[in-house]
């Protein structure tokens, strides 16, 4: 599963935290998507809650889709029960089967993910009874353990916590991923660690986190808000954080750089929207594609900016871009990432393999009569794009629901901004 938060195209991010384009899927669970076109105008009555007419339409569309794809027969009886529940409570509860189907379809519908060939393998952990920050923190740590439960083979996994309901907001995880590295602003300028995470690092400090040792790879605490409570911080247990030291396959000098990266890319700030119901805390993961770490996290000039250091280590001529020193350093950095994960026995894919697999996914879906929505700027890898088969074609950019949705207020929280909750 490609990291949904990784990039927009091959250039710099649209906003300060490198989030995707602000499109329909990047707003609140929308009235104007997935059959909600006739929904009542204006803001929803509560965070993540659709007006009743729009919720009924979204629920009906989802139930019909579930019954059709799962071969469950006439959806009318289930729809009648759901409509009655909506009339009585303002929302409805998905059955366990509906939750699993919806979470998997949200992955299948993810236009920015190249790894959708595996959408049916997503394992769903149902924790909808959990609303408190302590319980969500414990559930998040268990998610990371379960993701690598079989040795170091990573499994696609989602943990779904309580949904938003009228008068009862669900919990929120402020971090964009369950594992991120702190970014400490230095008094004289610059950042120790990941500049992407300066805002949420500062927020965690304001909430009372004392900070880590001050290395470039200090694991951030989770910042979790339970219902209407204020956010609190929780340190991840060491056994929940699997990390891989990054070394080069031939050059032992790379060990002196002290590089490493975490193994599980568990996205935490996106809402899982199923049939009009918003699950604001639903962390999910697949496994990394090497370029996400080697060509973006460690290489981007507004992240760890390692290409100059790698070029120096390799003795490259950095006096002119025409020497292609950046390209050569980028390839070696990506070789090091792939080699290191392979050596550690941790699941990782490469951009050439995953590009071929994505075309396999396209073929399977087309044979079933389903159009695959895809964003070219996300599907094409940031390294050697034209050497991969996904480069040489166009894609439909249609967006469907169920979906993993970006809410603007959630994007603000990943930057450490208080949003609608005073800190």
């Amino acid at each position: 599963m490609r990291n949904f938060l990784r990039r927009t195209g091959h250039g710099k991010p649209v906003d300060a935290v490198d989030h995707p384009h602000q499109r329909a899927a990047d707003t609140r669970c929308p009235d104007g998507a997935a059959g909600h076109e006739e929904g009542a105008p204006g803001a929803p009555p509560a965070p993540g809650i659709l007006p009743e007419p729009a919720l009924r339409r979204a629920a009906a569309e989802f139930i019909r889709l579930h019954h059709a794809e799962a071969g469950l027969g006439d959806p009318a009886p289930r729809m009648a029960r759901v409509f009655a529940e909506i009339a009585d409570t303002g929302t409805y509860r998905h059955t366990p089967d509906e939750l699993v189907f919806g979470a998997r379809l949200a992955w299948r519908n993810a236009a920015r993910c190249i790894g959708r060939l595996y959408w049916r393998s997503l394992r769903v952990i149902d924790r909808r009874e959990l609303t408190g920050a302590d319980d969500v923190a414990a559930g998040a740590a268990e998610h990371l353990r379960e993701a690598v439960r079989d040795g170091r083979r990573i499994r696609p996994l989602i943990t779904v916590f309580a949904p938003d309901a009228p008068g009862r907001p669900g919990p929120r995880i402020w971090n964009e991923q369950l594992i991120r590295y702190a970014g400490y602003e230095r008094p004289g300028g610059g950042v120790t660690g990941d500049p992407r995470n300066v805002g949420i690092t500062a927020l965690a400090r304001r909430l009372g986190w004392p900070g880590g040792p001050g290395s470039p790879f200090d694991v951030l605490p989770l910042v979790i808000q339970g219902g209407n409570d204020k956010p609190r911080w929780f340190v991840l247990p060491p056994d929940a954080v699997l990390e891989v030291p990054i070394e080069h396959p031939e050059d032992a000098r790379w060990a002196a750089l002290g590089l490493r990266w975490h193994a599980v890319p568990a996205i935490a700030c996106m809402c899982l929207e199923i049939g009009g119901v918003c699950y604001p805390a639903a962390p999910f993961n697949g496994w990394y594609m090497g370029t996400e770490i080697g060509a973006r996290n460690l290489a981007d000039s507004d992240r760890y900016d390692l290409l100059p250091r790698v070029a120096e280590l390799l003795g490259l001529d950095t006096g002119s871009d025409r020497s292609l020193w950046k390209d050569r350093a980028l390839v070696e950095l990506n070789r090091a990432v792939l080699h290191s994960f392979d050596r550690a026995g941790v699941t990782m894919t490469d951009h050439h393999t995953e590009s071929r697999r994505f075309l396999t996914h396209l073929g399977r879906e087309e044979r079933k009569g389903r159009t695959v929505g895809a964003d070219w700027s996300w599907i094409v890898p940031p390294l050697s794009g034209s050497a991969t088969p996904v480069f040489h074609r166009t894609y439909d950019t249609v967006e469907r629901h169920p979906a993993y949705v970006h809410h603007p207020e959630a994007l603000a929280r990943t930057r450490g901004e208080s949003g609608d909750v005073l800190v």
Side-chain angles (χ1 to χ4, degrees):
M1 184 190 296
R2 283 291 312 281
N3 184 324
F4 287 49
L5 306 177
R6 187 63 56 206
R7 66 195 179 100
T8 56
H10 300 290
K12 284 196 173 183
V14 172
D15 60 70
V17 294
D18 193 20
H19 280 296
H21 307 289
Q22 290 296 312
R23 298 179 180 173
D26 303 316
T27 61
R28 68 179 176 86
C29 298
D31 295 347
H36 304 176
E37 292 84 351
E38 299 176 8
I49 304 298
L50 290 177
E52 184 173 327
L55 180 57
R56 286 166 57 95
R57 279 186 288 274
E61 178 178 329
F62 171 69
I63 292 165
R64 283 194 292 264
L65 181 62
H66 181 215
H67 279 244
E69 291 207 15
L72 299 178
D74 184 7
R78 171 59 179 157
M79 210 175 299
R81 292 193 297 272
V82 167
F83 287 174
E85 190 176 353
I86 291 173
D88 186 45
T89 68
T91 187
Y92 69 103
R93 182 177 175 85
H94 293 118
T95 68
D97 285 347
E98 288 170 348
L99 185 70
V100 171
F101 177 77
R104 289 175 176 170
L105 243 63
W107 186 4
R108 191 179 83 189
N109 290 338
R112 302 182 180 107
C113 180
I114 196 174
R116 284 175 275 167
L117 178 64
Y118 322 103
W119 67 274
R120 290 185 182 275
S121 69
L122 180 66
R123 181 185 170 213
V124 179
I125 300 178
D126 187 348
R127 293 290 183 266
R128 287 178 288 173
E129 77 281 5
L130 301 183
T131 61
D134 296 88
D135 290 334
V136 172
E142 188 58 24
H143 176 108
L144 291 170
R145 296 186 189 100
E146 284 293 328
V148 291
R149 179 66 70 187
D150 300 329
R152 297 194 169 192
R153 182 177 61 84
I154 297 174
R155 67 177 76 177
L157 185 67
I158 184 170
T159 299
V160 183
F161 297 104
D164 281 339
R168 192 185 72 244
R172 264 79 174 153
I173 301 173
W174 284 44
N175 311 62
E176 65 175 8
Q177 293 191 28
L178 294 183
I179 304 174
R180 275 301 201 193
Y181 295 118
Y184 305 104
E185 288 188 297
R186 294 192 291 263
V191 173
T192 297
D194 194 341
R196 178 189 187 97
N197 301 320
V198 165
I200 196 152
T201 301
L203 169 68
R205 299 295 296 271
R206 293 198 302 273
L207 293 175
W209 180 53
S215 80
F217 299 99
D218 288 357
V219 176
L220 275 168
L222 293 177
V223 177
I224 299 175
Q225 180 181 352
N228 284 315
D229 294 337
K230 292 184 177 181
R232 298 159 54 198
W233 60 275
F234 300 85
V235 172
L236 282 167
D239 71 329
V241 181
L242 175 62
E243 295 180 286
V244 176
I246 306 299
E247 298 180 6
H248 193 273
E250 290 109 23
D251 193 337
R253 295 175 300 167
W254 282 60
L257 295 175
L259 305 180
R260 63 178 185 268
W261 204 260
H262 60 91
V264 181
I267 300 169
C269 69
M270 296 181 78
C271 162
L272 169 61
E273 187 275 330
I274 302 174
V277 175
C278 174
Y279 298 92
F284 62 95
N285 72 271
W287 47 79
Y288 270 118
M289 190 163 78
T291 53
E292 298 181 73
I293 300 171
R296 301 307 308 275
N297 297 339
L298 295 177
D300 279 357
S301 59
D302 58 353
R303 298 293 298 286
Y304 279 84
D305 194 23
L306 286 177
L307 294 187
R309 292 180 63 189
V310 170
E312 181 182 6
L313 189 67
L314 297 173
L316 301 179
D317 174 15
T318 60
S320 169
D321 287 343
R322 292 180 69 84
S323 71
L324 300 186
W325 67 268
K326 293 179 183 178
D327 309 73
R328 296 168 66 188
L330 191 62
V331 168
E332 292 307 312
L333 183 53
N334 279 269
R335 286 188 67 214
V337 168
L338 290 169
H339 162 77
S340 299
F341 272 68
D342 287 347
R343 182 189 56 190
V346 174
T347 307
M348 170 174 277
T349 188
D350 65 86
H351 52 295
H352 295 287
T353 299
E354 210 57 45
S355 295
R356 292 192 298 270
R357 289 174 177 169
F358 182 69
L359 295 187
T360 298
H361 171 68
L362 286 181
R364 288 183 181 178
E365 291 298 296
E366 288 169 357
R367 286 192 294 273
K368 292 180 179 294
R370 296 193 290 251
T371 301
V372 177
D375 185 332
W376 189 96
S377 67
W378 282 71
I379 297 300
V380 174
L383 176 69
S384 305
S386 64
T388 65
V390 294
F391 178 92
H392 302 279
R393 57 165 294 163
T394 59
Y395 305 93
D396 295 308
T397 56
V398 61
E399 292 168 343
R400 295 185 174 88
H401 284 234
Y404 297 105
V405 181
H406 280 111
H407 293 256
E409 64 272 18
L411 300 184
R413 285 192 288 266
T414 67
R415 297 189 291 265
E417 300 169 2
S418 60
D420 56 354
V421 177
L422 296 178
V423 177

